[in-house]
Amino acid sequence: MPEAKKLWGGRFSGGTDPLMEAFNESIHFDRRLYAADIQGSQAYAKALKRQGILTATEQKTLEKGLSAVLREWQKGTFELRPGDEDIHTANERRLSELVGSVAGKLHTGRSRNDQVATDMRLWLRDEVTALIGYLRTLVGALVERAESDVDVLMPGYTHLQRAQPIRWSHLLLSYAFWFQQDAVRFEQFLPRVAQLPLGSGALAGNPFQVDREWLAKELGFASVAPNSLYGTSDRDFVAELLFHSSLTMVHVSRLAEDLIIYSTAEFGFVKLADAYSTGSSLMPQKKNPDSLELLRGKCGRVFGGMSGFMMTYKGLPSTYNKDMQEDKEPMFDAVDTLSGSLQITAAVITTLKINPDKMRGSLTADMLATDLAEYLVRKGVPFRETHHISGAAVKMAEDRSCQISDLSLADLKTLHLSFEKDVMQTWDFEKSVDRRSSIGGTSRNTVKAQIDQLKQWLA
């Protein structure tokens, strides 16, 4: 079989070093763009027909040929050949085999520079839409769990130290709102992805006056890249994808960390389903939260892809440079990692078992020290003073090796005369959480309002 011609080979008389061939090719990863590449080519063929570059018969021939190439990819029968350095070369080579020399007209006025940028945006548009769906599913799982567990109280933590009592649902909803904001950011990102580079040529524009606005409409793009230099070299959409993915994975990682801690024997608040746990090859008693640990670990993977890409992107001169071949693998990996992570997280939340008695049993009276200070505020004592008085009560209980709730009214009156009999009502965890009733608080009513707010967003 004769050696395949390079799309760019006319200027060269010597062969390429086989090592350079392997170093240069990207087909082993950019083959994922096969459907987007074919979709863009079919639209471009129509645009060429509109300008009289292709006859109606030629355009139909190319469209049918490209559809046949697509079916081969979908069925797994597409055969890569030596010289198929990237997805564009592979598709055009196979198209030529199927339809003959008319395939050579398809690239008229088009460069791989605007072609690959279009392919990436087409592919990413669909993937971001799927990611938004996974985020909505995860938010729904958290909301459903929060609604069913609304009466469960637990310690809230700052600095990983017991701080104040909260509802377990309140904690779940905090993550639900983070993931909601992640979804909103991806939704706002979509129009910036859907900006058409096709028709920009290699850098200077298209000399055949193809109708780029028509192309944008045909391919479902929201707008046209307004400058051809920008259109072929812009990869801000990749950087933005990697940032949004990294931030979302930070939220996944933080939720995973909380659940890892709460699943330990020392806490015993939650228990992972067997489907999302593994054992030890040595210690039979172990049940490890591997799903959560992998979620936590994969955050670093996505962030690493972002930082690596940004280091490549920052030093490029204007328009297309081969360095940009390094944009696809972090993009693919971020989408794959985030997609899997969101689905696993939702499944973990749905199947998680909690131990409400253990959660409530971890509440201690000293966590109501702030409530004691607020009691005095309601008696007219300035908060800065009540803070010190409550601190003195904590110290008194520590010195006596008892709970702060064990102090008598007489003991408390030695600290301030404003204490009265009703102070004993302070030592009630249910009343404590329900006093936090302003918007966003942990009271039953405000938690239910948060649930309703998220349900309305999901509807």
Side-chain angles (χ1 to χ4, degrees):
M1 181 179 294
E3 183 180 352
K5 292 182 179 180
K6 306 287 187 188
L7 296 183
W8 43 266
R11 181 252 183 268
F12 292 83
S13 57
T16 308
D17 184 329
L19 181 62
M20 179 59 190
E21 290 270 6
F23 191 64
N24 181 59
E25 72 172 21
S26 57
I27 188 64
H28 59 286
F29 56 83
D30 69 15
R31 61 194 296 169
R32 294 183 64 168
L33 299 174
Y34 73 84
D37 190 68
I38 290 169
Q39 183 183 1
S41 290
Q42 289 179 325
Y44 192 68
K46 291 179 182 178
L48 291 176
K49 185 195 75 171
R50 288 166 59 88
Q51 296 307 112
I53 305 299
L54 294 174
T55 66
T57 300
E58 288 173 329
Q59 182 267 317
K60 284 294 183 184
T61 298
L62 290 173
E63 183 173 4
K64 289 179 181 179
L66 287 164
S67 294
V69 175
L70 177 62
R71 286 192 295 272
E72 289 185 6
W73 280 111
Q74 291 171 336
K75 293 177 180 178
T77 59
F78 188 100
E79 293 184 13
L80 291 172
R81 301 281 176 82
D84 288 347
E85 65 182 67
D86 55 37
I87 187 60
H88 326 297
T89 306
N91 280 344
E92 186 169 329
R93 185 267 306 162
R94 182 58 179 146
L95 179 65
S96 296
E97 293 172 353
L98 292 174
V99 304
S101 61
V102 68
K105 291 189 173 185
L106 180 59
H107 213 55
T108 304
R110 184 174 67 165
S111 164
R112 285 187 297 177
N113 297 356
D114 61 341
Q115 186 176 359
V116 69
T118 302
D119 291 358
M120 291 171 68
R121 288 173 181 270
L122 280 170
W123 181 87
L124 188 57
R125 182 184 63 190
D126 293 341
E127 295 298 325
V128 169
T129 301
L131 289 174
I132 293 168
Y134 295 139
L135 279 162
R136 291 178 67 87
T137 298
L138 176 52
V139 171
L142 288 162
V143 168
E144 183 176 346
R145 195 67 198 251
E147 190 167 33
S148 65
D149 295 343
V150 71
D151 292 322
V152 178
L153 302 188
M154 65 175 291
Y157 295 85
T158 63
H159 307 276
L160 210 54
Q161 304 294 314
R162 292 175 185 173
Q164 290 180 293
I166 61 170
R167 295 185 186 278
W168 159 244
S169 297
H170 196 208
L171 177 65
L172 293 176
L173 292 170
S174 71
Y175 285 104
F177 280 108
W178 262 316
F179 292 125
Q180 179 207 32
Q181 289 305 302
D182 291 325
V184 169
R185 275 186 285 270
F186 276 117
E187 287 168 349
Q188 294 168 343
F189 171 50
L190 271 175
R192 292 189 289 280
V193 175
Q195 190 175 57
L196 180 75
L198 191 58
S200 295
L203 75 162
N206 188 290
F208 298 100
Q209 293 78 50
V210 295
D211 189 340
R212 297 186 66 214
E213 291 183 341
W214 180 90
L215 271 171
K217 184 177 179 180
E218 177 73 7
L219 290 169
F221 279 82
S223 62
V224 172
N227 177 288
S228 60
L229 304 178
Y230 159 80
T232 57
S233 63
D234 173 56
R235 294 297 185 273
D236 287 5
F237 68 96
V238 177
E240 194 169 350
L241 165 80
L242 296 175
F243 171 75
H244 293 323
S245 298
S246 295
L247 186 57
T248 303
M249 285 302 297
V250 165
H251 301 148
V252 169
S253 179
R254 292 186 66 180
L255 173 57
E257 173 69 1
D258 273 345
L259 295 179
I260 289 168
I261 292 170
Y262 295 156
S263 70
T264 61
E266 287 73 16
F267 281 78
F269 293 173
V270 303
K271 183 178 180 181
L272 267 68
D274 288 349
Y276 303 101
S277 308
T278 65
S280 165
S281 62
L282 177 65
M283 298 167 284
Q285 83 282 8
K286 293 293 296 297
K287 182 178 180 180
N288 299 323
D290 281 18
S291 58
L292 297 173
E293 291 170 355
L294 285 168
L295 290 170
R296 186 176 59 184
K298 287 181 183 295
C299 177
R301 177 189 183 119
V302 175
F303 186 86
M306 179 185 71
S307 59
F309 171 73
M310 293 298 282
M311 291 305 98
T312 299
Y313 193 38
K314 73 166 184 65
L316 299 181
S318 61
T319 74
Y320 185 83
N321 299 268
K322 193 67 171 188
D323 315 50
M324 289 182 178
Q325 187 162 290
E326 297 300 307
D327 56 9
K328 295 165 199 64
E329 287 180 289
M331 178 182 75
F332 293 147
D333 191 68
V335 168
D336 291 345
T337 302
L338 184 55
S339 173
S341 296
L342 293 173
Q343 293 176 78
I344 290 292
T345 305
V348 167
I349 292 298
T350 301
T351 59
L352 191 73
K353 292 183 179 179
I354 64 171
N355 188 337
D357 293 338
K358 194 71 179 286
M359 288 177 169
R360 194 178 188 96
S362 296
L363 297 172
T364 53
D366 59 309
M367 297 175 67
L368 299 172
T370 304
D371 295 73
L372 185 66
E374 291 164 352
Y375 168 88
L376 288 175
V377 167
R378 293 184 176 90
K379 300 291 185 180
V381 184
F383 177 75
R384 276 290 158 233
E385 186 177 343
T386 70
H387 186 280
H388 289 291
I389 295 167
S390 181
V394 171
K395 179 67 166 58
M396 181 184 292
E398 287 180 350
D399 290 344
R400 297 182 183 181
S401 299
C402 68
Q403 290 289 322
I404 189 173
S405 56
D406 294 331
L407 298 178
S408 67
L409 178 58
D411 292 329
L412 293 174
K413 277 188 171 292
T414 65
L415 301 175
H416 201 281
L417 293 175
S418 294
F419 283 116
E420 299 175 12
K421 288 182 179 180
D422 60 351
V423 71
M424 296 307 167
Q425 298 175 17
T426 302
W427 316 124
D428 186 316
F429 297 116
E430 290 283 354
K431 289 182 178 178
S432 174
V433 295
D434 278 337
R435 276 192 289 266
R436 316 291 165 185
S437 57
S438 60
I439 293 174
T442 197
S443 75
R444 185 184 181 86
N445 287 339
T446 51
V447 164
K448 287 201 165 187
Q450 293 164 46
I451 290 170
D452 290 341
Q453 181 180 343
L454 287 167
K455 280 185 171 182
Q456 184 175 3
W457 176 75
L458 287 167

mmCIF file of all heavy atoms in Angstrom, residues 299-336:
data_model
loop_
_atom_site.group_PDB
_atom_site.id
_atom_site.type_symbol
_atom_site.label_atom_id
_atom_site.label_comp_id
_atom_site.label_asym_id
_atom_site.label_seq_id
_atom_site.Cartn_x
_atom_site.Cartn_y
_atom_site.Cartn_z
ATOM 1 N N CYS A 299 -9.618 14.977 42.907
ATOM 2 C CA CYS A 299 -9.615 16.445 42.877
ATOM 3 C C CYS A 299 -8.230 16.951 42.470
ATOM 4 O O CYS A 299 -8.093 17.850 41.638
ATOM 5 C CB CYS A 299 -10.011 16.989 44.246
ATOM 6 S SG CYS A 299 -9.948 18.789 44.352
ATOM 7 N N GLY A 300 -7.182 16.365 43.052
ATOM 8 C CA GLY A 300 -5.825 16.768 42.708
ATOM 9 C C GLY A 300 -5.491 16.488 41.258
ATOM 10 O O GLY A 300 -4.759 17.248 40.619
ATOM 11 N N ARG A 301 -6.027 15.415 40.730
ATOM 12 C CA ARG A 301 -5.805 15.063 39.322
ATOM 13 C C ARG A 301 -6.343 16.146 38.391
ATOM 14 O O ARG A 301 -5.666 16.592 37.460
ATOM 15 C CB ARG A 301 -6.481 13.722 39.043
ATOM 16 C CG ARG A 301 -6.405 13.258 37.604
ATOM 17 C CD ARG A 301 -7.284 12.038 37.398
ATOM 18 N NE ARG A 301 -7.174 11.536 36.048
ATOM 19 C CZ ARG A 301 -6.745 10.321 35.722
ATOM 20 N NH1 ARG A 301 -6.377 9.477 36.676
ATOM 21 N NH2 ARG A 301 -6.684 9.934 34.467
ATOM 22 N N VAL A 302 -7.591 16.585 38.650
ATOM 23 C CA VAL A 302 -8.206 17.591 37.786
ATOM 24 C C VAL A 302 -7.492 18.927 37.939
ATOM 25 O O VAL A 302 -7.214 19.621 36.951
ATOM 26 C CB VAL A 302 -9.706 17.722 38.102
ATOM 27 C CG1 VAL A 302 -10.341 18.847 37.291
ATOM 28 C CG2 VAL A 302 -10.420 16.409 37.812
ATOM 29 N N PHE A 303 -7.176 19.286 39.180
ATOM 30 C CA PHE A 303 -6.470 20.552 39.405
ATOM 31 C C PHE A 303 -5.101 20.526 38.735
ATOM 32 O O PHE A 303 -4.650 21.525 38.167
ATOM 33 C CB PHE A 303 -6.320 20.816 40.903
ATOM 34 C CG PHE A 303 -5.727 22.164 41.214
ATOM 35 C CD1 PHE A 303 -6.530 23.274 41.306
ATOM 36 C CD2 PHE A 303 -4.352 22.314 41.392
ATOM 37 C CE1 PHE A 303 -5.982 24.531 41.572
ATOM 38 C CE2 PHE A 303 -3.801 23.550 41.656
ATOM 39 C CZ PHE A 303 -4.616 24.664 41.746
ATOM 40 N N GLY A 304 -4.427 19.374 38.782
ATOM 41 C CA GLY A 304 -3.135 19.252 38.123
ATOM 42 C C GLY A 304 -3.237 19.450 36.621
ATOM 43 O O GLY A 304 -2.368 20.074 35.999
ATOM 44 N N GLY A 305 -4.306 18.918 36.019
ATOM 45 C CA GLY A 305 -4.525 19.134 34.592
ATOM 46 C C GLY A 305 -4.706 20.601 34.266
ATOM 47 O O GLY A 305 -4.202 21.100 33.246
ATOM 48 N N MET A 306 -5.425 21.321 35.136
ATOM 49 C CA MET A 306 -5.632 22.747 34.910
ATOM 50 C C MET A 306 -4.320 23.515 35.002
ATOM 51 O O MET A 306 -3.992 24.329 34.125
ATOM 52 C CB MET A 306 -6.622 23.317 35.938
ATOM 53 C CG MET A 306 -6.863 24.815 35.775
ATOM 54 S SD MET A 306 -7.903 25.549 37.051
ATOM 55 C CE MET A 306 -6.799 25.504 38.461
ATOM 56 N N SER A 307 -3.536 23.267 36.044
ATOM 57 C CA SER A 307 -2.295 24.020 36.218
ATOM 58 C C SER A 307 -1.310 23.704 35.096
ATOM 59 O O SER A 307 -0.615 24.597 34.593
ATOM 60 C CB SER A 307 -1.675 23.721 37.589
ATOM 61 O OG SER A 307 -1.395 22.345 37.741
ATOM 62 N N GLY A 308 -1.266 22.431 34.666
ATOM 63 C CA GLY A 308 -0.382 22.075 33.562
ATOM 64 C C GLY A 308 -0.774 22.762 32.270
ATOM 65 O O GLY A 308 0.083 23.290 31.545
ATOM 66 N N PHE A 309 -2.073 22.776 31.978
ATOM 67 C CA PHE A 309 -2.531 23.427 30.753
ATOM 68 C C PHE A 309 -2.242 24.924 30.785
ATOM 69 O O PHE A 309 -1.802 25.512 29.787
ATOM 70 C CB PHE A 309 -4.028 23.199 30.534
ATOM 71 C CG PHE A 309 -4.588 24.028 29.413
ATOM 72 C CD1 PHE A 309 -4.300 23.709 28.100
ATOM 73 C CD2 PHE A 309 -5.369 25.147 29.675
ATOM 74 C CE1 PHE A 309 -4.789 24.483 27.049
ATOM 75 C CE2 PHE A 309 -5.859 25.922 28.642
ATOM 76 C CZ PHE A 309 -5.571 25.590 27.324
ATOM 77 N N MET A 310 -2.467 25.560 31.913
ATOM 78 C CA MET A 310 -2.242 27.000 32.004
ATOM 79 C C MET A 310 -0.772 27.347 31.782
ATOM 80 O O MET A 310 -0.451 28.391 31.200
ATOM 81 C CB MET A 310 -2.718 27.526 33.356
ATOM 82 C CG MET A 310 -4.228 27.447 33.547
ATOM 83 S SD MET A 310 -5.153 28.449 32.351
ATOM 84 C CE MET A 310 -4.935 30.081 33.058
ATOM 85 N N MET A 311 0.126 26.484 32.231
ATOM 86 C CA MET A 311 1.542 26.727 31.998
ATOM 87 C C MET A 311 1.891 26.616 30.517
ATOM 88 O O MET A 311 2.786 27.303 30.026
ATOM 89 C CB MET A 311 2.390 25.757 32.818
ATOM 90 C CG MET A 311 2.364 25.982 34.328
ATOM 91 S SD MET A 311 2.828 27.676 34.807
ATOM 92 C CE MET A 311 1.207 28.434 35.042
ATOM 93 N N THR A 312 1.203 25.757 29.786
ATOM 94 C CA THR A 312 1.389 25.660 28.342
ATOM 95 C C THR A 312 0.793 26.879 27.640
ATOM 96 O O THR A 312 1.416 27.482 26.758
ATOM 97 C CB THR A 312 0.724 24.384 27.798
ATOM 98 O OG1 THR A 312 1.336 23.244 28.402
ATOM 99 C CG2 THR A 312 0.847 24.289 26.289
ATOM 100 N N TYR A 313 -0.390 27.250 28.051
ATOM 101 C CA TYR A 313 -1.174 28.289 27.369
ATOM 102 C C TYR A 313 -0.552 29.675 27.523
ATOM 103 O O TYR A 313 -0.629 30.501 26.623
ATOM 104 C CB TYR A 313 -2.582 28.250 27.953
ATOM 105 C CG TYR A 313 -3.659 29.004 27.208
ATOM 106 C CD1 TYR A 313 -3.706 29.053 25.823
ATOM 107 C CD2 TYR A 313 -4.673 29.645 27.911
ATOM 108 C CE1 TYR A 313 -4.717 29.724 25.159
ATOM 109 C CE2 TYR A 313 -5.688 30.314 27.260
ATOM 110 C CZ TYR A 313 -5.711 30.359 25.881
ATOM 111 O OH TYR A 313 -6.719 31.016 25.231
ATOM 112 N N LYS A 314 0.087 29.915 28.656
ATOM 113 C CA LYS A 314 0.527 31.274 28.985
ATOM 114 C C LYS A 314 1.627 31.793 28.068
ATOM 115 O O LYS A 314 1.763 32.995 27.878
ATOM 116 C CB LYS A 314 1.045 31.338 30.434
ATOM 117 C CG LYS A 314 2.407 30.661 30.612
ATOM 118 C CD LYS A 314 3.053 31.003 31.920
ATOM 119 C CE LYS A 314 4.446 30.395 32.009
ATOM 120 N NZ LYS A 314 5.377 30.958 31.002
ATOM 121 N N GLY A 315 2.443 30.894 27.479
ATOM 122 C CA GLY A 315 3.615 31.352 26.748
ATOM 123 C C GLY A 315 3.478 31.352 25.244
ATOM 124 O O GLY A 315 4.471 31.522 24.533
ATOM 125 N N LEU A 316 2.255 31.166 24.734
ATOM 126 C CA LEU A 316 2.091 31.015 23.291
ATOM 127 C C LEU A 316 2.040 32.358 22.574
ATOM 128 O O LEU A 316 1.348 33.280 23.016
ATOM 129 C CB LEU A 316 0.804 30.252 22.990
ATOM 130 C CG LEU A 316 0.714 28.829 23.561
ATOM 131 C CD1 LEU A 316 -0.616 28.210 23.157
ATOM 132 C CD2 LEU A 316 1.871 27.976 23.077
ATOM 133 N N PRO A 317 2.751 32.479 21.441
ATOM 134 C CA PRO A 317 2.540 33.657 20.591
ATOM 135 C C PRO A 317 1.176 33.548 19.916
ATOM 136 O O PRO A 317 0.494 32.530 20.011
ATOM 137 C CB PRO A 317 3.686 33.560 19.576
ATOM 138 C CG PRO A 317 4.012 32.101 19.511
ATOM 139 C CD PRO A 317 3.744 31.560 20.892
ATOM 140 N N SER A 318 0.798 34.585 19.191
ATOM 141 C CA SER A 318 -0.557 34.646 18.650
ATOM 142 C C SER A 318 -0.827 33.535 17.649
ATOM 143 O O SER A 318 0.077 32.974 17.033
ATOM 144 C CB SER A 318 -0.795 36.005 17.986
ATOM 145 O OG SER A 318 0.121 36.193 16.914
ATOM 146 N N THR A 319 -2.090 33.228 17.507
ATOM 147 C CA THR A 319 -2.715 32.223 16.641
ATOM 148 C C THR A 319 -2.280 30.817 17.026
ATOM 149 O O THR A 319 -1.838 30.561 18.138
ATOM 150 C CB THR A 319 -2.518 32.515 15.128
ATOM 151 O OG1 THR A 319 -1.192 32.235 14.727
ATOM 152 C CG2 THR A 319 -2.882 33.939 14.815
ATOM 153 N N TYR A 320 -2.401 29.874 16.074
ATOM 154 C CA TYR A 320 -2.230 28.470 16.431
ATOM 155 C C TYR A 320 -0.758 28.087 16.527
ATOM 156 O O TYR A 320 0.071 28.490 15.710
ATOM 157 C CB TYR A 320 -2.916 27.565 15.396
ATOM 158 C CG TYR A 320 -2.854 26.111 15.798
ATOM 159 C CD1 TYR A 320 -3.790 25.582 16.684
ATOM 160 C CD2 TYR A 320 -1.833 25.286 15.342
ATOM 161 C CE1 TYR A 320 -3.717 24.259 17.087
ATOM 162 C CE2 TYR A 320 -1.756 23.960 15.747
ATOM 163 C CZ TYR A 320 -2.696 23.458 16.623
ATOM 164 O OH TYR A 320 -2.620 22.155 17.033
ATOM 165 N N ASN A 321 -0.454 27.302 17.557
ATOM 166 C CA ASN A 321 0.861 26.691 17.738
ATOM 167 C C ASN A 321 0.651 25.236 18.135
ATOM 168 O O ASN A 321 -0.353 24.881 18.749
ATOM 169 C CB ASN A 321 1.648 27.407 18.834
ATOM 170 C CG ASN A 321 1.900 28.869 18.517
ATOM 171 O OD1 ASN A 321 2.909 29.229 17.942
ATOM 172 N ND2 ASN A 321 0.945 29.728 18.912
ATOM 173 N N LYS A 322 1.616 24.385 17.810
ATOM 174 C CA LYS A 322 1.448 22.952 18.038
ATOM 175 C C LYS A 322 1.323 22.617 19.526
ATOM 176 O O LYS A 322 0.771 21.571 19.894
ATOM 177 C CB LYS A 322 2.628 22.183 17.442
ATOM 178 C CG LYS A 322 2.400 20.678 17.351
ATOM 179 C CD LYS A 322 1.313 20.311 16.336
ATOM 180 C CE LYS A 322 1.261 18.808 16.093
ATOM 181 N NZ LYS A 322 0.366 18.450 15.001
ATOM 182 N N ASP A 323 1.795 23.527 20.386
ATOM 183 C CA ASP A 323 1.609 23.328 21.822
ATOM 184 C C ASP A 323 0.146 23.059 22.158
ATOM 185 O O ASP A 323 -0.179 22.394 23.149
ATOM 186 C CB ASP A 323 2.031 24.573 22.621
ATOM 187 C CG ASP A 323 3.353 25.177 22.195
ATOM 188 O OD1 ASP A 323 3.532 25.399 20.979
ATOM 189 O OD2 ASP A 323 4.189 25.452 23.071
ATOM 190 N N MET A 324 -0.743 23.618 21.325
ATOM 191 C CA MET A 324 -2.174 23.502 21.605
ATOM 192 C C MET A 324 -2.674 22.069 21.495
ATOM 193 O O MET A 324 -3.793 21.774 21.918
ATOM 194 C CB MET A 324 -2.969 24.417 20.680
ATOM 195 C CG MET A 324 -2.804 25.883 21.002
ATOM 196 S SD MET A 324 -3.808 26.902 19.915
ATOM 197 C CE MET A 324 -3.443 28.526 20.571
ATOM 198 N N GLN A 325 -1.855 21.186 20.923
ATOM 199 C CA GLN A 325 -2.231 19.772 20.938
ATOM 200 C C GLN A 325 -2.364 19.265 22.368
ATOM 201 O O GLN A 325 -3.073 18.288 22.619
ATOM 202 C CB GLN A 325 -1.189 18.949 20.178
ATOM 203 C CG GLN A 325 -1.566 17.496 19.990
ATOM 204 C CD GLN A 325 -0.754 16.835 18.898
ATOM 205 O OE1 GLN A 325 -0.921 17.131 17.715
ATOM 206 N NE2 GLN A 325 0.147 15.953 19.292
ATOM 207 N N GLU A 326 -1.714 19.954 23.296
ATOM 208 C CA GLU A 326 -1.763 19.570 24.708
ATOM 209 C C GLU A 326 -3.041 20.035 25.405
ATOM 210 O O GLU A 326 -3.163 19.910 26.622
ATOM 211 C CB GLU A 326 -0.542 20.130 25.450
ATOM 212 C CG GLU A 326 0.787 19.584 24.944
ATOM 213 C CD GLU A 326 0.877 18.074 25.080
ATOM 214 O OE1 GLU A 326 0.641 17.564 26.191
ATOM 215 O OE2 GLU A 326 1.170 17.399 24.064
ATOM 216 N N ASP A 327 -3.988 20.587 24.658
ATOM 217 C CA ASP A 327 -5.225 21.066 25.282
ATOM 218 C C ASP A 327 -6.273 19.968 25.444
ATOM 219 O O ASP A 327 -7.158 20.056 26.296
ATOM 220 C CB ASP A 327 -5.835 22.231 24.486
ATOM 221 C CG ASP A 327 -6.112 21.880 23.009
ATOM 222 O OD1 ASP A 327 -5.999 20.701 22.631
ATOM 223 O OD2 ASP A 327 -6.405 22.821 22.236
ATOM 224 N N LYS A 328 -6.166 18.906 24.637
ATOM 225 C CA LYS A 328 -7.265 17.945 24.568
ATOM 226 C C LYS A 328 -7.255 16.929 25.701
ATOM 227 O O LYS A 328 -8.309 16.616 26.278
ATOM 228 C CB LYS A 328 -7.248 17.227 23.218
ATOM 229 C CG LYS A 328 -7.526 18.163 22.055
ATOM 230 C CD LYS A 328 -7.166 17.562 20.735
ATOM 231 C CE LYS A 328 -7.013 18.640 19.683
ATOM 232 N NZ LYS A 328 -5.896 19.565 19.958
ATOM 233 N N GLU A 329 -6.096 16.391 26.033
ATOM 234 C CA GLU A 329 -6.058 15.359 27.062
ATOM 235 C C GLU A 329 -6.532 15.867 28.422
ATOM 236 O O GLU A 329 -7.331 15.188 29.080
ATOM 237 C CB GLU A 329 -4.664 14.742 27.138
ATOM 238 C CG GLU A 329 -4.368 13.843 25.941
ATOM 239 C CD GLU A 329 -2.997 13.222 25.988
ATOM 240 O OE1 GLU A 329 -2.008 13.966 25.789
ATOM 241 O OE2 GLU A 329 -2.888 12.002 26.232
ATOM 242 N N PRO A 330 -6.097 17.069 28.879
ATOM 243 C CA PRO A 330 -6.671 17.549 30.141
ATOM 244 C C PRO A 330 -8.169 17.837 30.048
ATOM 245 O O PRO A 330 -8.906 17.641 31.016
ATOM 246 C CB PRO A 330 -5.872 18.823 30.460
ATOM 247 C CG PRO A 330 -5.185 19.203 29.196
ATOM 248 C CD PRO A 330 -4.987 17.936 28.427
ATOM 249 N N MET A 331 -8.624 18.285 28.871
ATOM 250 C CA MET A 331 -10.059 18.514 28.690
ATOM 251 C C MET A 331 -10.824 17.201 28.796
ATOM 252 O O MET A 331 -11.809 17.095 29.544
ATOM 253 C CB MET A 331 -10.316 19.169 27.327
ATOM 254 C CG MET A 331 -11.791 19.405 27.025
ATOM 255 S SD MET A 331 -12.110 20.123 25.391
ATOM 256 C CE MET A 331 -11.848 18.681 24.321
ATOM 257 N N PHE A 332 -10.367 16.179 28.061
ATOM 258 C CA PHE A 332 -11.033 14.875 28.110
ATOM 259 C C PHE A 332 -10.997 14.307 29.527
ATOM 260 O O PHE A 332 -11.998 13.785 30.038
ATOM 261 C CB PHE A 332 -10.353 13.890 27.159
ATOM 262 C CG PHE A 332 -10.495 14.208 25.698
ATOM 263 C CD1 PHE A 332 -9.471 13.904 24.806
ATOM 264 C CD2 PHE A 332 -11.636 14.814 25.201
ATOM 265 C CE1 PHE A 332 -9.594 14.184 23.448
ATOM 266 C CE2 PHE A 332 -11.768 15.101 23.851
ATOM 267 C CZ PHE A 332 -10.740 14.781 22.969
ATOM 268 N N ASP A 333 -9.835 14.391 30.153
ATOM 269 C CA ASP A 333 -9.676 13.784 31.475
ATOM 270 C C ASP A 333 -10.542 14.486 32.519
ATOM 271 O O ASP A 333 -11.127 13.834 33.391
ATOM 272 C CB ASP A 333 -8.206 13.824 31.899
ATOM 273 C CG ASP A 333 -7.949 12.978 33.130
ATOM 274 O OD1 ASP A 333 -8.041 11.747 33.035
ATOM 275 O OD2 ASP A 333 -7.680 13.560 34.209
ATOM 276 N N ALA A 334 -10.617 15.815 32.443
ATOM 277 C CA ALA A 334 -11.445 16.548 33.398
ATOM 278 C C ALA A 334 -12.903 16.155 33.265
ATOM 279 O O ALA A 334 -13.601 15.921 34.263
ATOM 280 C CB ALA A 334 -11.278 18.058 33.191
ATOM 281 N N VAL A 335 -13.384 16.063 32.017
ATOM 282 C CA VAL A 335 -14.785 15.689 31.792
ATOM 283 C C VAL A 335 -15.042 14.270 32.295
ATOM 284 O O VAL A 335 -16.032 14.008 32.989
ATOM 285 C CB VAL A 335 -15.137 15.818 30.299
ATOM 286 C CG1 VAL A 335 -16.479 15.157 30.005
ATOM 287 C CG2 VAL A 335 -15.194 17.294 29.896
ATOM 288 N N ASP A 336 -14.143 13.345 31.965
ATOM 289 C CA ASP A 336 -14.318 11.950 32.398
ATOM 290 C C ASP A 336 -14.301 11.839 33.917
ATOM 291 O O ASP A 336 -15.133 11.145 34.519
ATOM 292 C CB ASP A 336 -13.211 11.069 31.818
ATOM 293 C CG ASP A 336 -13.322 10.884 30.313
ATOM 294 O OD1 ASP A 336 -14.395 11.194 29.761
ATOM 295 O OD2 ASP A 336 -12.330 10.441 29.701
#
